[in-house]
């Protein structure tokens, strides 16, 4: 497979997103005095970036799961949620861009590459911006649910998500 | 693990952690992935309605000759945000110039073209289908499909041009040709001296023989030249086929058979082909270019097979060959073959065996060690004994060391100038 300009664009965009996600999560951890956490985040980021450079197929998945766990752990140890949210958004972007890059590399030719990449980036950007706005708004909300309601909400989330995934698995060839 | 499944699992884990820990921030973390999933779901592609047409620059080509494959994919359905189309190239063919796969976006009614060049080894190739994967812009949901795009390609074996191969079957056909017929008559080669018959041209009178006899005229007789029946037998038994890094021995045998068929047919003979393995693949004898094409097509699909219950050439369908005709066996030979070859000689077939040397072919690939050397020597002695017995039966045996090109072997061993003397029967 030949290395083409569109691969370079997505490759750099993915690398930048990994760096920014690492920076956001690392800064949030270090601001909260969690130096070990910051180091672990830096190591995960470095490994993710290396995996991306060497084109390990599982690198995006590992990096994504690692950073989402790091963001969740950050919330658990009461680090600022805004930093975690920002880190997660950038992680999502990096994960997406790496998979997009992988998809570009699986083919020998990309037609209308600029249009394809622009369309993808625009859609991703919209999703991230809406996600960021929704996240920030959600952070400002304070809704208290009794235990029963929480259980019910969790059950609905469980069954709803399981149903959607089951349907998708059936139709997603 | 599919991406949407990973994303769903993480969302679910965040929601449940948030609910159990009574911490809304976890729920907030689940919002962007949830939106990402939702956005991909909204953009999810419908089942694609695509048509593919395939055209090949030719459906018949010589080995390693390029063939241009063109595919046109037409979208009869709605817009496809991302489409990966990948042609499934049959094993044995190699794509060189161009691309066999493409990623594109396809509007309704639009087309995308794929064009590439193929080269390949001898064989019959069937193109079955084209793989298409349509997905949303985020690439989270994919619909995979296989579109029928049939096509056939025949890659014929290389037939080296041999200048001539001289054979002397015990019986020829009635039509004039280039094979000595073992009968006196009009011809070029001196055949003998006989007494004058009314009508013989005077320039044929042999003055010396006439001078020795009183009142009798003698004339020179020439050997008639006619076309002959030639049966080619290609040994396609798996057990005869030695396979090493440089490729299988069988390929060399196939190319030699193609070259022989070509030269015999060019010289006007009637040629048939039997590929002997677990199944007997028979090309009925015929003349000319059409028969050459039939034989090359048969050789293109030649494969090696094995049957445990058949060791030697026992199942050779000898009734297919006219009695006393020329038979050319192309085989590395097995010890068990001797009996059948003796039977062929007993039935007065004129037998020519071209035997690619499997021992040298295999030993060279095994590297040098004392064990290999010893095993090679033993195998060589066994082979020499077999060939010696065949020569004693009157079989012409050409041992082909595969380092030497076949045309050179054919020139040295099979042209009349160099060929071993054969008794006139």
């Amino acid at each position: 497979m030949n290395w083409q300009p569109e691969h370079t664009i997505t490759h750099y965009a993915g690398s930048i997103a990994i760096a920014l996600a690492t920076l956001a999560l690392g800064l949030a951890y270090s601001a909260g005095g969690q130096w070990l956490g910051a180091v672990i985040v830096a190591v995960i980021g470095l490994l993710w970036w290396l995996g991306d450079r060497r084109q390990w197929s599982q690198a995006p998945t590992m990096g994504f799961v690692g950073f989402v766990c790091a963001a969740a752990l950050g919330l658990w140890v009461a680090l600022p949620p805004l930093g975690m949210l920002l880190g997660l958004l950038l992680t999502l972007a990096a994960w997406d861009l790496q998979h997009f890059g992988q998809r570009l590399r699986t083919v020998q030719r990309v037609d209308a590459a600029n249009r394809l990449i622009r369309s993808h980036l625009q859609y991703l950007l919209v999703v991230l911006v809406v996600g960021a706005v929704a996240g920030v708004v959600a952070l400002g909300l304070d809704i208290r649910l009794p235990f029963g309601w929480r259980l019910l909400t969790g059950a609905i989330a469980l069954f709803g998500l399981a149903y959607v995934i089951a349907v998708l698995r059936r139709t997603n060839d | 693990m599919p991406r949407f499944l990973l994303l769903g699992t993480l969302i679910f884990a965040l929601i449940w952690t948030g609910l159990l820990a009574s911490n809304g921030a976890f729920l907030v973390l689940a919002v962007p992935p949830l939106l990402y999933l939702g956005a991909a779901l909204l953009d999810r592609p419908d089942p694609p309605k695509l048509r593919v047409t395939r055209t090949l620059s030719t459906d018949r080509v010589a080995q390693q000759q390029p063939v241009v494959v063109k595919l046109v994919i037409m979208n009869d359905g709605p817009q496809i945000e991302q489409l990966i189309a990948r042609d499934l190239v049959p094993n044995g063919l190699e794509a060189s110039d161009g691309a066999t796969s493409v990623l594109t976006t396809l509007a309704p009614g639009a087309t995308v073209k794929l064009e590439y060049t193929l080269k390949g080894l001898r064989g019959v190739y069937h193109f079955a289908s084209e793989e298409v994967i349509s997905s949303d812009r985020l690439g989270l949901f994919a619909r995979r499909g296989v579109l029928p795009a049939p096509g056939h390609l025949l890659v014929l074996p290389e037939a080296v041009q041999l200048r001539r191969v001289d054979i002397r079957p015990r019986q020829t056909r009635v039509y004039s040709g280039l094979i000595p017929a073992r009968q006196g008559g009009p011809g070029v080669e001196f055949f003998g001296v006989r007494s004058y018959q009314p009508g013989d041209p005077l320039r044929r009178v042999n003055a010396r023989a006439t001078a020795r006899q009183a009142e009798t005229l003698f004339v020179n007789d020439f050997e008639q030249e006619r076309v002959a029946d030639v049966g080619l037998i290609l040994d396609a038994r798996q057990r005869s086929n030695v396979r090493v890094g440089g490729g299988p021995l069988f390929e060399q045998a196939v190319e030699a058979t193609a070259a022989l068929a070509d030269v015999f047919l060019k010289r006007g003979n009637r040629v048939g082909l039997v590929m002997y393995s677990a199944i007997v693949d028979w090309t009925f004898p015929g003349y000319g270019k059409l028969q050459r094409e039939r034989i090359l097509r048969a050789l293109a699909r030649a494969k090696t097979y094995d049957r445990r219950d058949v060791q030697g050439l026992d199942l050779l369908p000898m009734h297919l060959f006219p009695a006393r005709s020329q038979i050319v066996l192309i085989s590395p030979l097995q010890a068990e073959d001797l009996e059948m070859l003796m039977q062929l000689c007993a039935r007065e077939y004129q037998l020519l065996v071209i035997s690619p040397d499997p021992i040298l072919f295999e030993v060279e690939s095994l590297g040098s060690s004392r064990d290999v050397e010893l095993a090679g020597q033993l195998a060589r002695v066994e082979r020499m004994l077999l060939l010696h017995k065949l020569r004693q039966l009157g079989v012409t045996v050409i041992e082909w060391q595969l380092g030497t090109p076949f045309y050179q072997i054919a020139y040295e061993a099979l042209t009349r100038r160099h060929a071993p003397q054969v008794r006139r029967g």
Side-chain angles (χ1 to χ4, degrees), chain B residues 20-63:
Chain B
L20 290 177
S22 301
N23 188 342
F26 283 101
L27 298 177
V28 171
L29 272 196
V31 170
L34 206 56
L35 279 169
Y36 186 91
L37 191 68
L41 205 60
L42 280 177
D43 202 30
R44 196 160 152 253
D46 293 323
K49 287 180 184 168
L50 299 166
R51 273 184 298 139
V52 186
T53 51
R54 180 194 300 276
T55 48
L56 279 79
S57 59
T58 176
D59 62 350
R60 173 196 175 281
V61 73
Q63 202 161 269

Side-chain angles (χ1 to χ4, degrees), chain A:
Chain A
M1 157 85 262
N2 297 327
W3 192 261
Q4 292 167 0
E6 55 267 24
H7 303 154
T8 315
I9 296 164
T10 52
H11 180 73
Y12 279 131
S15 297
I16 290 167
I18 294 171
L20 290 176
T22 312
L23 199 67
L25 287 173
L27 281 176
Y29 267 91
S30 49
Q34 300 287 339
W35 297 106
L36 182 64
V39 170
I40 290 171
V41 164
V43 169
I44 295 172
L46 193 67
L47 285 175
W48 190 359
W49 179 75
L50 269 177
D52 181 40
R53 297 258 318 166
R54 302 198 170 190
Q55 297 182 14
W56 296 338
S57 61
Q58 292 305 311
T61 305
M62 295 299 174
F64 180 59
V65 172
F67 271 11
V68 171
C69 289
L73 209 67
L75 291 179
W76 193 263
V77 295
L79 292 178
L82 206 60
M84 296 300 120
L85 181 67
L86 183 64
L88 190 119
L89 284 165
L90 290 166
T91 302
L92 200 60
W95 181 64
D96 175 273
L97 288 169
Q98 284 201 321
H99 274 289
F100 187 56
Q102 278 185 356
R103 214 155 49 250
L104 290 178
R105 282 195 294 272
T106 59
V107 293
Q108 294 176 338
R109 198 183 86 204
V110 180
D111 280 1
N114 287 339
R115 200 178 136 215
L116 207 69
I117 292 171
R118 200 182 314 120
S119 162
H120 181 91
L121 292 179
Q122 279 172 356
Y123 201 62
L124 177 66
L125 195 67
V126 168
V127 171
L128 292 178
V129 168
V130 173
V133 171
V136 170
V137 170
L139 276 176
L141 294 176
D142 185 13
I143 302 168
R144 293 182 188 283
L145 292 173
F147 182 74
W149 278 102
R150 270 187 267 161
L151 205 63
L152 186 66
T153 314
I156 290 169
L158 171 67
F159 288 115
L161 213 56
Y163 176 75
V164 169
I165 285 171
V167 169
L168 289 175
R169 284 191 81 165
R170 269 205 302 277
T171 54
N172 205 48
D173 317 304

Side-chain angles (χ1 to χ4, degrees), chain B residues 259-403:
Chain B
L260 287 169
D262 181 63
V263 71
F264 287 136
L265 285 165
K266 271 186 183 161
R267 291 167 79 82
N269 299 298
R270 195 169 80 136
V271 181
L273 169 72
V274 169
M275 291 189 286
Y276 183 81
S277 61
I279 47 167
V280 176
D281 190 334
W282 169 243
T283 306
F284 201 76
Y287 298 95
K289 286 181 181 173
L290 194 62
Q291 180 69 359
R292 180 182 184 272
E293 183 67 20
R294 281 194 206 109
I295 289 179
L296 287 181
R297 280 173 185 257
L299 289 171
R301 62 172 186 267
K303 283 182 184 169
T304 53
Y305 298 99
D306 236 345
R307 256 174 77 170
R308 286 184 184 172
D309 56 329
V310 180
Q311 300 289 312
L313 298 168
D314 309 341
L315 295 182
L316 207 56
M318 289 319 302
H319 59 279
L320 297 172
F321 303 110
R324 298 163 63 88
S325 64
Q326 177 73 49
I327 288 180
V328 182
L329 171 66
I330 301 103
S331 166
L333 293 175
Q334 301 286 327
E336 301 81 23
D337 300 343
L338 183 63
E339 198 178 325
M340 188 61 189
L341 295 177
M342 283 167 72
Q343 283 183 34
L344 290 178
C345 290
R347 291 183 199 175
E348 295 198 325
Y349 286 107
Q350 189 69 44
L351 198 56
L352 167 65
V353 176
I354 293 167
S355 183
D357 185 357
I359 299 161
L360 192 66
F361 188 68
E362 196 167 8
V363 163
E364 277 181 357
S365 70
L366 291 174
S368 60
S369 77
R370 188 165 162 66
D371 290 347
V372 170
E373 201 177 314
L374 191 63
Q377 279 174 0
L378 286 170
R380 203 162 285 128
V381 168
E382 196 180 355
R383 182 174 163 79
M384 279 168 64
L385 271 172
L386 177 66
L387 299 187
H388 179 68
K389 282 179 188 167
L390 284 175
R391 286 188 179 114
Q392 278 188 322
L393 286 168
V395 175
T396 308
V397 181
I398 312 296
E399 201 177 2
W400 178 16
Q401 309 293 345
L402 289 172

Side-chain angles (χ1 to χ4, degrees), chain B residues 152-169:
Chain B
H152 301 278
L153 178 64
L154 191 70
V155 181
L156 302 176
E158 190 182 359
V160 180
Q161 303 287 313
L162 303 176
R163 287 173 67 187
R164 56 188 290 180
V165 171
D166 294 321
I167 49 170
R168 289 187 68 85

